Amino acid sequence: MADQASDGPTLGSVRVVERPPAQPGGEPSAVSATPDRATLRLALVVGGLVLSVLLGFGLGRINGGGTTTAGGPDSALADHVHAPGVGAHSHGADQTAAAEAGGLAVSRDGLTLTPRSAGFIAGQAGELNFQIRDGQRQTVTRFAVVHDKPMHLIVVRRDLTGYQHLHPTMAADGTWSVPLTLPQPGVWRAYADFTALADDGRQTATTLGVDLFAPGAYAPRALPEPATTAAVDGFTVSFQGGPQPGLTVPVSFRITGQDGTGPVLERYLGAYGHLVALREGDLGYLHVHPEAELVDGAVRFWLTTPGPGRYRLYLDFAVAGEIRTAQFTVLVP
C-alpha cells in the first residue's frame, strides 16, 4: 500500500517545528524551548501508544504468537514444518476454511495446473508432464519441501479405485514429469499437492486437480462398505476414530503382523504414515496431518471432514523398506 501524506503527526514519526518568520525590521522570532500544553498532551498520547504496542508484541512472543507468511532468506530450501496435529490449512479459528476440500479445481489461490496431455492408453506405461503457473501465466519454479518432497501427486480413478501416490521431478523450466500407468479404462483424477514460494518468501499451500482419460469400456466398482479393519500383504490395519462434519478429530491406525505383534514401522515422508482422504461424489481432497511420533504404538492423524457423506481413506506405511497402502471407507453422519 502506498504511503499517504498526513498533516498531523503519526506514530513513530518526528514532529518538525518550523522557525517563525522574522518580524518586520527585526531579528527572527525566537522559538520557545518550553513546549506548550497541547504538545505535552500529544507526546503523552504517542508515548502511551508506543508502549502499548511494545507490550503487546512482547506478550504475543511469550504466548507463542507471531505467525508469519514470509520465510527467511533460505525459505526456498526450508522444510514446511508444522507442530503435530496442526497444518497450513488449520491455523486460526476459521474452521470452515480448515474443512474445505481441495483438488476440485484446476485453478485456485492464484495458481493453475497445466498438463501437457491428459490422454493415456489403459494398461500402457506413459508419462504425465505438467507445470504450475501463477496469475501472470509465468511458470512457478520455487517450491517448499513438505513431507520430504516438493510435489506430491495423487492419482485415483473416479470410482476411488487404483490409488497411486507419486513424486514427480522438476526440470529447470518448471516442468514436472513422472512415469504413470492407468491400469484400467475410465476417467481418473490427478491431484497436485504442493506449496509454492513467491520471490518475497510468501508460501501458498494448495491442491489442484485435473482429469485424466483412458478410453475403453468403463465398469465402475461399488465403494466397499465401511469397516474398521483392512488386510494388506499379510498385515492387518485397524482403524479407530469418529470423524464429524466441520470438526478436527484424531483418527488412529494400528498395524499388526500375522503373528499378532506390531512390526517395526519406518518413517515414510518424514512420518510413520501418510494419509489421503477423498470424498465420494466430487472427489474432494482432504489434507490430513500426522503426529510426529507413534501414540501408544499407533499412527495418529488429525482429520477434518467438511460435511456428511462417505470418504475413502488411503494409509501409506513402510515396513522393511516397502510401502504398502491400507484402504478404508468411512461414513460421516
Side-chain angles (χ1 to χ4, degrees):
M1 182 178 295
D3 294 336
Q4 297 180 349
S6 173
D7 294 331
T10 57
L11 184 62
S13 64
V14 177
R15 186 171 185 267
V16 179
V17 180
E18 296 183 358
R19 182 181 296 274
Q23 299 295 328
E27 294 294 327
S29 300
V31 178
S32 173
T34 303
D36 55 23
R37 293 184 177 179
T39 302
L40 287 174
R41 285 196 299 269
L42 177 61
L44 290 173
V45 171
V46 172
L49 289 173
V50 172
L51 182 60
S52 298
V53 171
L54 291 176
L55 286 174
F57 177 78
L59 290 174
R61 293 297 296 270
I62 292 173
N63 290 322
T67 301
T68 60
T69 57
D74 297 327
S75 60
L77 302 177
D79 289 350
H80 190 61
V81 178
H82 295 279
V86 180
H89 297 271
S90 58
H91 289 157
D94 188 352
Q95 201 66 19
T96 301
E100 183 181 359
L104 297 175
V106 72
S107 183
R108 177 178 174 175
D109 299 324
L111 300 167
T112 301
L113 170 62
T114 56
R116 287 188 175 176
S117 175
F120 289 79
I121 299 176
Q124 182 173 317
E127 185 174 77
L128 178 64
N129 302 285
F130 63 93
Q131 292 180 336
I132 304 298
R133 296 180 182 173
D134 60 20
Q136 289 71 46
R137 302 295 296 170
Q138 299 298 313
T139 303
V140 179
T141 58
R142 300 179 70 237
F143 298 82
V145 175
V146 184
H147 299 304
D148 287 350
K149 299 291 181 179
M151 178 69 67
H152 298 264
L153 186 76
I154 306 299
V155 179
V156 66
R157 199 167 68 165
R158 281 219 164 247
D159 59 359
L160 297 176
T161 63
Y163 167 87
Q164 300 181 54
H165 184 171
L166 308 172
H167 299 109
T169 57
M170 188 184 72
D173 67 348
T175 299
W176 293 91
S177 301
V178 64
L180 176 62
T181 300
L182 302 182
Q184 301 294 333
V187 180
W188 295 70
R189 189 70 173 172
Y191 303 88
D193 184 347
F194 60 90
T195 297
L197 289 176
D199 291 338
D200 60 4
R202 288 181 296 109
Q203 299 184 0
T204 302
T206 192
T207 302
L208 305 178
V210 66
D211 282 343
L212 307 176
F213 305 93
Y218 172 43
R221 300 178 187 175
L223 198 64
E225 291 299 317
T228 57
T229 60
V232 51
D233 294 341
F235 294 96
T236 299
V237 183
S238 302
F239 167 79
Q240 184 177 13
Q244 302 179 47
L247 297 180
T248 300
V249 300
V251 294
S252 298
F253 298 87
R254 187 175 299 276
I255 302 163
T256 56
Q258 292 180 335
D259 59 359
T261 63
V264 177
L265 294 178
E266 300 169 351
R267 290 189 180 272
Y268 172 58
L269 300 175
Y272 286 109
H274 185 277
L275 183 64
V276 168
L278 299 178
R279 180 170 58 191
E280 183 186 33
D282 62 359
L283 272 64
Y285 178 98
L286 306 182
H287 294 267
V288 189
H289 306 285
E291 293 280 5
E293 302 294 338
L294 296 175
V295 180
D296 191 25
V299 188
R300 175 182 287 179
F301 298 84
W302 292 85
L303 174 63
T304 309
T305 50
R310 293 201 299 178
Y311 294 80
R312 192 68 168 164
L313 306 185
Y314 306 87
L315 172 70
D316 298 326
F317 64 96
V319 176
E322 185 175 349
I323 310 300
R324 297 171 173 85
T325 303
Q327 304 184 26
F328 295 84
T329 300
V330 175
L331 177 62
V332 178

